[in-house]
Amino acid sequence: MIKVVIIGSGNVAHHLIKAFSESSEIEIIQAFARNKAALSNVLESHQIISDFRELKKADLYIIAVSDDAINWVSEQLLFTDRLVVHTSGSAAIAEINSKNRRGVFYPVQSVSKNKSVDFKSIPIGIEAENDSDLKTIEMLANSISEKVFQMDSSQRKALHVAAVFVNNFVNYMYQIGSEICTENRISFDILKPLIEETVKKIDAISPKEAQTGPAIRNDKNTINAHLEFLLDENKKNIYKILTQSIQENGKKL
């Protein structure tokens, strides 16, 4: 079995602990949290520590904290020459202090603490500085996911930028749409079949081919009517920027 220590208590740490706990190939021997209570619902109290000096020896240490804290956390580790990985999409492998062997274990998914996650369908990007460590990380990833990909820090950063566009930005568009519906006493549920169909469509054709709407058609009357309807300047500016970008992209077809 691969013995693992989780360092962190946020959303990613919670879901990794749950996923690894269900695997017969992984043993979580410890988790570090500044506030022990933050992990009390997923681990026994004796498995949770808040002092770096209490870290036990493991095959792999997973730093699941914010990007800005990765380097600091890795510097607090009192041991050397052990395998330490982070879970960030945008941080380079070099963010981990070089006194230990370094790697990356990046789940390509947006997770919320109170929503269950099926890791089998979640792609995991992995990276290491040597073949032996890469094999260990790969075994760890394969124990919970059916989609494991090796990629370097540059590729992972590109993937993370793409993920922000297709997830975070798209979700913000949902928020704007929901606000417009609420302001006009319309149920946002009416739009959900449209959202679902849009997602299904890109399984059959490319996003570029799937683009529809007034911008790609250059329907100026509809565009102007929409801009006149939007009184909020932020929403109006977003509409203008996206419309222009879609039209410019459409010229390349």
Side-chain angles (χ1 to χ4, degrees), residues 33-228:
R34 285 178 295 182
N35 175 15
K36 291 184 179 182
L39 295 177
S40 60
N41 64 324
V42 289
L43 283 175
E44 298 293 332
S45 59
H46 71 273
Q47 294 177 285
I48 309 169
I49 62 168
S50 57
D51 188 333
F52 286 107
R53 292 172 296 183
E54 297 177 12
L55 285 172
K56 295 181 179 180
K57 188 172 183 179
D59 297 310
L60 188 145
Y61 299 79
I62 300 178
I63 298 177
V65 299
S66 66
D67 290 4
D68 291 343
I70 291 172
N71 183 256
W72 181 85
V73 169
S74 71
E75 289 177 347
Q76 306 313 303
L77 304 178
L78 302 178
F79 49 76
T80 60
D81 197 34
R82 298 185 193 176
L83 179 54
V84 179
V85 306
H86 69 62
T87 60
S88 170
S90 60
I93 193 172
E95 284 298 308
I96 299 171
N97 189 284
S98 60
K99 65 184 176 182
N100 281 295
R101 307 193 316 275
R102 303 180 289 193
V104 178
F105 184 95
Y106 168 46
V108 189
Q109 184 60 273
S110 173
V111 297
S112 300
K113 189 173 293 186
N114 297 320
K115 189 178 184 302
S116 61
V117 172
D118 179 13
F119 263 93
K120 288 190 181 300
S121 62
I122 295 178
I124 297 177
I126 63 172
E127 181 182 4
E129 293 179 309
N130 64 67
D131 291 339
S132 176
D133 287 339
L134 184 65
K135 184 176 180 180
T136 299
I137 299 170
E138 186 176 21
M139 289 172 60
L140 181 74
N142 282 328
S143 73
I144 60 173
S145 173
E146 297 174 352
K147 301 178 180 180
V148 180
F149 302 91
Q150 182 180 348
M151 57 183 68
D152 61 29
S153 291
S154 176
Q155 291 172 311
R156 191 175 63 259
K157 187 173 185 178
L159 183 63
H160 191 256
V161 171
V164 168
F165 273 94
V166 303
N167 176 251
N168 306 129
F169 290 169
V170 168
N171 188 73
Y172 184 61
M173 296 300 102
Y174 294 159
Q175 179 182 330
I176 290 176
S178 178
E179 289 172 357
I180 292 171
C181 286
T182 300
E183 291 164 2
N184 290 275
R185 300 186 301 281
I186 303 167
S187 172
F188 182 66
D189 288 346
I190 296 172
L191 291 175
K192 289 181 180 178
L194 175 62
I195 293 170
E196 291 171 2
E197 176 59 24
T198 303
V199 173
K200 290 177 183 177
K201 194 181 295 183
I202 60 173
D203 276 337
I205 59 178
S206 72
K208 191 168 186 176
E209 292 173 308
Q211 187 67 55
T212 62
I216 199 69
R217 296 194 305 268
N218 196 29
D219 186 346
K220 293 180 181 179
N221 289 334
T222 300
I223 292 169
N224 290 333
H226 287 175
L227 289 171
E228 185 177 346

